[in-house]
Amino acid sequence: MKLWKKSLTLALIVLLALPMMVGMAQGSGGTLVGAFDVGPGGAPGIIPYMDSAGRTWLSKIWSPLVSWNADISALEPQLATDWSANDDYTVWTFKLREGVLWHDGEPFTADDVVFSLNLAINPAAATSFPGFSQLSPDTVKEVRAVDDMTVEFELNAPNPRLPYNLILLWILPEHALADLDPADYQNSDWFFTEAIGTGPFMHEEFQRDQFWALVPNPNYWRGAPKLERLINRYFADETSAILALEAGEIQFSYASGDVALGFSDNSNFQLFTGPSGVTNYLIFNERDPRFADIRVRQAFLYAIDRQAIVETVLQETAQVVPCIGAFPSMYPPAEELNDYAYNPELARQLLAEAGFDTSQPIEVVTYYDSQFHSDALAAIQAFLSDVGITITPVRQDVPTYNSYFYTGERWTISYRGVAAGLANFPFPFYEVGGQPTTDGKPLSGGTYDEMIDLLSKARVEGDPDAYVGLIQDICRFQNQNATEGYMWTAIRFGVASSKLQDFYWFPGPGGGPYEDHPELWSVSG
């Protein structure tokens, strides 16, 4: 057992020190079949601007102005090559990449950027873009084409981090979609029949719930991809995908930590790994008056031995977090935080003081279906049962979950994840009007004036050190007030066949998009 633990620790150190990338041997093309939408970064059959995840795949067809770099540590130019702001961060100018062609041969211009943003924030289209990007008709005064290769974003308030918001701005072809009624956006079959983009691959065939096949874009600005075909095959769950990977039916899949580490000594496979940048947490719907009581929210935290779950159930492939932030730089000093150390007696006391009715079971909805999260939820369920709380996990596919969760209705507690880094802090989750809730309240139904004031200051703070200080203040408030049930941030893994050449994957929140150079991928043998 000690030897196994030592091997696990060594594997994690090696993997976290340097995300693995296949050697530089040149391949001969071939067909790559992967389970790109398995796991927390996946969302099968998703379309641009309705994407809460699945962006690893979307970026193979469509391109944003900017993306994350390979390890999600900085921005990478894509359709934009340079950007700058005026002194108060209310006007941003982006220079666009010249010579880019759409898949149908039409030239890409600034008009496509203007069209895409206006469509994304159009209330009639009812996209998820405003909530996820932090851009909306209220924040954007105007987007305009200065010339064919220059676009300006004029904002109604300072935004020092606008380029990070534009990571999710997929650029769509105005010439192909100009006649589309925004009200028909979500139901258009264009994305699965034509799907014209500027990305490295072009649409070939889509079979819902089965696969999406692409072919190389010969005009891709970085050069035509080496692969002959790229196929995203859909699976009901991670287990099915891993079985297909082991059988040689596919060449890549996401894998939970315990599963992935089982491949570490197998020369037929290679591991990819990194921090998820996602915080897993319980969000309490405070529209239910039981959860408006801080004592109840704190009782949940005291009742769950989070550290024990991380160490034994999750096999040390996660780290307990004190607030929504996914990285230590976002936390104030530990002595200023409540660690909510496991204390079931205190949990029972708080529940009794709050008059919490433990006789009624509570549904906990989630879109996670991996073994990692199934095991974690089972452990949470057991710990809560010990203090008299009965929860029933309810798993749903991402489209079903997204169809109602952000309205604030039809759920009491959700076990979920959110990307929460310094550059992509989830401001809209806590602000009035930040999410399309039916009643206009913040997503949790609770309004915390002190936190909203901190959020407002952080949004417009241009000094990096002052900004970090405000994010730490927000963490302190969230922690002390148990605004949510903060659990952990995970290490994530991908497993690929050793036959893949120049292949790269990283566990970017929601799948990125991030720089993975798919034009270089190939399959040997």
Side-chain angles (χ1 to χ4, degrees):
M1 184 66 174
K2 290 183 179 178
L3 179 60
W4 175 88
K5 181 115 175 177
K6 183 177 180 181
S7 298
L8 171 62
T9 304
L10 179 61
L12 286 175
I13 291 173
V14 172
L15 289 169
L16 288 175
L18 180 64
M20 295 182 65
M21 197 169 185
V22 185
M24 297 304 291
Q26 295 299 306
S28 58
T31 295
L32 194 166
V33 183
F36 290 97
D37 279 319
V38 167
I46 206 72
I47 66 173
Y49 303 139
M50 300 307 298
D51 50 316
S52 60
R55 297 166 189 140
T56 297
W57 182 251
L58 289 180
S59 64
K60 304 301 174 280
I61 305 172
W62 294 281
S63 308
L65 293 179
V66 298
S67 74
W68 290 111
N69 65 355
D71 62 1
I72 318 297
S73 63
L75 292 179
E76 183 81 12
Q78 295 296 336
L79 292 180
T81 58
D82 186 50
W83 48 90
S84 59
N86 64 353
D87 290 342
D88 67 355
Y89 302 103
T90 57
V91 178
W92 284 82
T93 303
F94 286 76
K95 293 293 185 180
L96 305 181
R97 189 175 300 280
E98 296 189 7
V100 176
L101 299 178
W102 291 99
H103 291 162
D104 61 359
E106 292 292 319
F108 156 73
T109 71
D111 289 335
D112 295 308
V113 178
V114 174
F115 168 79
S116 297
L117 180 65
N118 286 333
L119 176 62
I121 64 176
N122 189 321
T127 71
S128 62
F129 179 80
F132 281 98
S133 70
Q134 306 181 26
L135 299 177
S136 69
D138 294 328
T139 60
V140 178
K141 183 176 182 179
E142 183 185 9
V143 55
R144 50 184 173 264
V146 177
D147 56 44
D148 281 352
M149 292 289 107
T150 309
V151 63
E152 280 186 353
F153 293 80
E154 184 174 358
L155 310 174
N156 288 319
N159 185 345
R161 280 158 290 280
L162 177 71
Y164 292 95
N165 303 147
L166 298 180
I167 288 173
L168 303 184
L169 182 65
W170 303 105
I171 307 304
L172 302 176
E174 181 185 30
H175 68 276
L177 293 173
D179 294 332
L180 175 67
D181 186 337
D184 296 331
Y185 182 82
Q186 296 184 36
N187 300 315
S188 172
D189 64 358
W190 180 87
F191 296 96
F192 308 112
T193 57
E194 296 182 56
I196 298 170
T198 57
F201 291 89
M202 305 188 299
H203 170 81
E204 182 185 41
E205 183 180 2
F206 174 80
Q207 292 292 329
R208 186 166 295 280
D209 300 325
Q210 295 187 44
F211 68 89
W212 196 338
L214 310 178
V215 293
N217 172 12
N219 297 316
Y220 185 50
W221 58 271
R222 278 196 173 121
K226 296 179 180 180
L227 288 173
E228 296 171 10
R229 294 177 86 208
L230 178 63
I231 300 174
N232 187 8
R233 183 172 156 191
Y234 301 131
F235 292 87
D237 50 41
E238 176 194 336
T239 300
S240 301
I242 293 298
L243 290 173
L245 179 67
E246 292 176 321
E249 297 173 10
I250 64 175
Q251 290 86 45
F252 169 76
S253 178
Y254 163 86
S256 298
D258 57 336
V259 175
L261 293 178
F263 288 89
S264 60
D265 295 325
N266 190 329
S267 62
N268 293 319
F269 299 95
Q270 54 197 312
L271 290 179
F272 297 81
T273 190
S276 66
V278 169
T279 295
N280 296 127
Y281 66 112
L282 297 173
I283 180 171
F284 306 106
N285 196 331
E286 295 184 33
R287 295 169 183 84
D288 183 327
R290 295 176 296 176
F291 298 103
D293 192 319
I294 185 176
R295 295 170 296 185
V296 172
R297 302 192 302 270
Q298 289 180 327
F300 270 70
L301 282 166
Y302 283 119
I304 301 168
D305 193 339
R306 297 175 296 162
Q307 191 60 42
I309 294 175
V310 164
E311 291 177 359
T312 60
V313 178
L314 305 181
Q315 301 182 30
E316 298 183 341
T317 60
Q319 180 179 2
V320 172
V321 296
C323 58
I324 203 66
F327 300 99
S329 61
M330 304 171 74
Y331 313 150
E335 60 268 21
E336 299 178 14
L337 298 169
N338 184 343
D339 64 1
Y340 292 100
Y342 180 52
N343 192 334
E345 286 302 321
L346 180 55
R348 295 187 190 97
Q349 177 185 327
L350 290 169
L351 291 171
E353 291 176 358
F356 187 82
D357 182 4
T358 58
S359 66
Q360 299 297 316
I362 302 168
E363 286 190 343
V364 176
V365 296
T366 185
Y367 48 79
Y368 287 127
D369 61 4
S370 71
Q371 197 62 49
F372 176 101
H373 292 292
S374 295
D375 292 345
L377 262 178
I380 290 172
Q381 188 176 24
F383 279 118
L384 291 176
S385 177
D386 186 51
V387 300
I389 299 172
T390 301
I391 66 167
T392 304
V394 177
R395 294 172 178 81
Q396 298 169 328
D397 60 60
V398 172
T400 299
Y401 180 91
N402 286 348
S403 70
Y404 70 89
F405 174 77
Y406 296 100
T407 69
E409 296 182 339
R410 294 168 49 196
W411 59 275
T412 304
I413 299 178
S414 177
Y415 173 71
R416 64 189 316 276
V418 63
L422 283 168
N424 59 337
F425 190 86
F427 292 99
F429 280 50
Y430 305 106
E431 298 169 322
V432 174
Q435 294 293 320
T437 55
T438 302
D439 57 9
K441 294 181 179 179
L443 189 55
S444 71
T447 302
Y448 299 91
D449 291 338
E450 182 179 341
M451 183 168 68
I452 288 177
D453 180 58
L454 291 170
L455 291 165
S456 298
K457 292 177 179 177
R459 269 193 177 278
V460 299
E461 180 56 64
D463 179 80
D465 292 336
Y467 175 72
V468 170
L470 287 165
I471 294 299
Q472 292 176 348
D473 290 341
I474 294 166
C475 178
R476 184 184 298 105
F477 181 91
Q478 291 181 325
N479 172 267
Q480 294 173 353
N481 291 274
T483 52
E484 293 150 323
Y486 307 107
M487 295 290 119
W488 39 70
T489 182
I491 300 163
R492 288 182 181 168
F493 297 85
V495 183
S497 165
S498 59
K499 294 182 179 181
L500 298 189
Q501 303 294 315
D502 298 326
F503 179 79
Y504 182 76
W505 178 85
F506 193 83
Y514 58 90
E515 187 56 86
D516 56 358
H517 288 284
E519 75 279 3
L520 302 178
W521 299 356
S522 63
V523 182
S524 66

